[in-house]
Amino acid sequence: MRRGLRVLLTLTVTTFLVAQRPSGPHVGFSAFGQLASARLTEIERAIRAEMQRQKIPGLSIALVTEHRLRWAKGFGYADLENSVPATEQTVYRLASISKTITAVAVMQLAERGKLDLDAPIQRYCPAFPEKPWPITARQLLAHVSGIRHYKRPEEITSTRHYTRIVDTLEIFKDDPLEHEPGARFTYTTYGYNVLGCAIEGASGMSYLDYVREHIFRPAGMDRARDDNVFAIIPHRAQGYRRTPSGELQNSPLADTSNKIPGGGLCSTVLDLARFAIALQQGKLLRRETLEPMWTPQKTRDGRETSYGLGWSLSEYRGRREVFHTGGQPRVSTLLYMRPEDRLAVVLMSNLEGARLLDLARRIADLAQP
């Protein structure tokens, strides 16, 4: 077992250098300047060291600089039992990174005048019952609606398959709110199910059809889709967890159709890099629409949260960070951006509970000119 893990943690696949879509000539190491080779060596060293420290079976990375997809690579194994290497083409569950896509869809509809962020959500999702106080799309985006998160472990590892977003509301729609909307920050994946329902009501399209046409296609995300457990999805990663004693196990079964808008999509690091580029270049939203998403929201009493409209927000060494993590059975994921630096790092791994933010910061520092 120890020898197998050593092989696992030292295996890397051949580097795949990519250019931003539409297709063009591949970008070489010179894209990073004269220190390109040394920087990439340091980046790979940092990745291997972190994988060894956390005992991560497989990890894929994509790196964006100057609004261009520069470099992508896989490390370790996407599937241990079948000795399948992780690559830049490996498909992982996005987990909560799905919320950023849903948030962009909501803001697109608001930008086009089809959805009022401050109207009662029942205008667009009548299947969600009225509560003692009105709930708005803005509050749902910011996680201040009061709608609960998971209540029971079996909700995380649900194996029931849902074919309609409206049906997933049955899980939580009749439960009382955790608090009055706007009173405090309460993270909720189920709140994004309500937003998915509202997207369907405002657009007249199914949620998946809407994001395919208005987000995936214009961004060039050709592998992004719902994480359907019954579908044949080429290059889909297997997932793993560790027991308290450190033993590596297969992840438990989980059907994410109970939360597609909040954590039920899947894709590759390449597609998420293209998503980051499309956002930063204004291809999906106007700048004046995007900026409020990347601005910390406040509770009713004026307390600032560390979350915008669909995005986690922070500051690192004086630079603004915009990111979202994801964690669920089979994966830990991260989409990390420094908008002012026109930089993005995408990290996706097949180990539950892996911590990726510090590694993304390290890689971003090394990639800076």
Side-chain angles (χ1 to χ4, degrees):
M1 174 63 72
R2 288 197 183 107
R3 183 176 180 276
L5 281 174
R6 281 199 300 271
V7 172
L8 155 70
L9 294 168
T10 55
L11 177 72
T12 60
V13 299
T14 304
T15 301
F16 183 74
L17 297 173
V18 293
Q20 178 189 346
R21 288 182 180 258
S23 60
H26 291 309
V27 179
F29 292 157
S30 61
F32 291 101
Q34 293 182 346
L35 298 179
S37 181
R39 286 178 183 169
L40 284 174
T41 297
E42 284 298 308
I43 289 171
E44 292 198 18
R45 184 178 294 124
I47 291 170
R48 292 193 184 97
E50 194 61 26
M51 289 182 69
Q52 184 172 9
R53 189 181 73 82
Q54 297 192 49
K55 296 181 173 60
I56 297 173
L59 180 146
S60 299
I61 176 176
L63 178 61
V64 171
T65 64
E66 297 299 320
H67 292 167
R68 293 180 66 84
L69 179 53
R70 302 293 189 176
W71 177 72
K73 188 171 181 176
F75 297 79
Y77 283 98
D79 181 342
L80 288 172
E81 291 177 324
N82 294 294
S83 301
V84 179
T87 76
E88 72 290 335
Q89 300 287 353
T90 298
V91 174
Y92 299 85
R93 288 176 165 175
L94 298 190
S96 284
I97 295 176
S98 304
K99 293 180 175 69
T100 67
I101 292 168
T102 297
V104 169
V106 170
M107 298 302 284
Q108 285 180 339
L109 290 166
E111 192 174 79
R112 296 164 188 163
K114 293 186 175 182
L115 188 151
D116 183 344
L117 294 176
D118 299 306
I121 202 64
Q122 288 80 11
R123 180 183 296 181
Y124 312 104
C125 181
F128 185 74
E130 293 185 3
K131 299 296 180 180
W133 309 276
I135 296 175
T136 69
R138 190 185 304 275
Q139 291 168 334
L140 288 162
L141 288 168
H143 294 288
V144 297
S145 69
I147 293 175
R148 72 170 177 90
H149 195 39
Y150 306 124
K151 182 184 291 186
R152 296 171 291 272
E154 55 266 29
E155 292 181 2
I156 300 173
T157 55
S158 168
T159 55
R160 177 178 173 181
H161 189 71
Y162 292 84
T163 57
R164 300 191 309 162
I165 288 175
V166 69
D167 293 336
T168 69
L169 304 184
E170 297 295 330
I171 302 169
F172 61 92
K173 70 182 179 67
D174 294 324
D175 293 345
L177 298 182
E178 299 284 320
H179 54 79
E180 184 177 349
R184 67 176 188 266
F185 179 90
T186 307
Y187 188 86
T188 168
T189 290
Y190 289 142
Y192 272 68
N193 282 20
V194 180
L195 287 171
C197 173
I199 288 167
E200 294 186 335
S203 69
M205 304 170 67
S206 75
Y207 171 85
L208 286 171
D209 283 345
Y210 182 89
V211 295
R212 281 191 204 103
E213 181 172 333
H214 295 281
I215 297 177
F216 298 161
R217 189 172 298 142
M221 301 167 67
D222 53 15
R223 300 298 305 281
R225 56 162 297 159
D226 60 314
D227 177 53
N228 188 327
V229 295
F230 297 109
I232 303 300
I233 301 179
H235 309 297
R236 177 153 51 178
Q238 295 300 313
Y240 306 96
R241 66 179 181 181
R242 291 199 176 275
T243 66
S245 64
E247 178 188 2
L248 191 68
Q249 295 182 334
N250 287 315
S251 293
L253 299 176
D255 187 322
T256 60
S257 62
N258 67 337
K259 54 186 174 187
I260 288 176
L265 300 175
C266 65
S267 194
T268 65
V269 293
L270 297 176
D271 271 359
L272 282 187
R274 294 174 187 129
F275 177 58
I277 292 167
L279 275 178
Q280 293 184 27
Q281 290 190 322
K283 293 180 179 179
L284 299 177
L285 291 168
R286 295 194 295 261
R287 174 60 58 182
E288 57 268 30
T289 305
L290 188 58
E291 276 305 314
M293 300 180 72
W294 294 349
T295 300
Q297 299 298 293
K298 295 180 179 180
T299 56
R300 274 204 330 271
D301 59 3
R303 287 175 296 161
E304 194 173 90
T305 73
S306 58
Y307 202 88
L309 301 177
W311 296 88
S312 296
L313 306 168
S314 185
E315 189 174 288
Y316 175 75
R317 297 180 178 177
R319 309 302 289 173
R320 177 168 62 159
E321 298 177 311
V322 177
F323 62 95
H324 215 295
T325 59
Q328 64 184 209
R330 300 171 69 101
V331 294
S332 297
T333 60
L334 174 65
L335 170 55
Y336 175 88
M337 297 189 290
R338 293 182 187 169
E340 282 71 33
D341 296 330
R342 297 184 288 185
L343 179 145
V345 179
V346 183
L347 294 170
M348 301 174 75
S349 73
N350 59 355
L351 179 67
E352 296 175 26
R355 297 170 301 281
L356 303 175
L357 183 56
D358 286 345
L359 176 60
R361 287 169 171 159
R362 173 66 174 153
I363 292 167
D365 288 344
L366 288 168
Q368 289 294 104

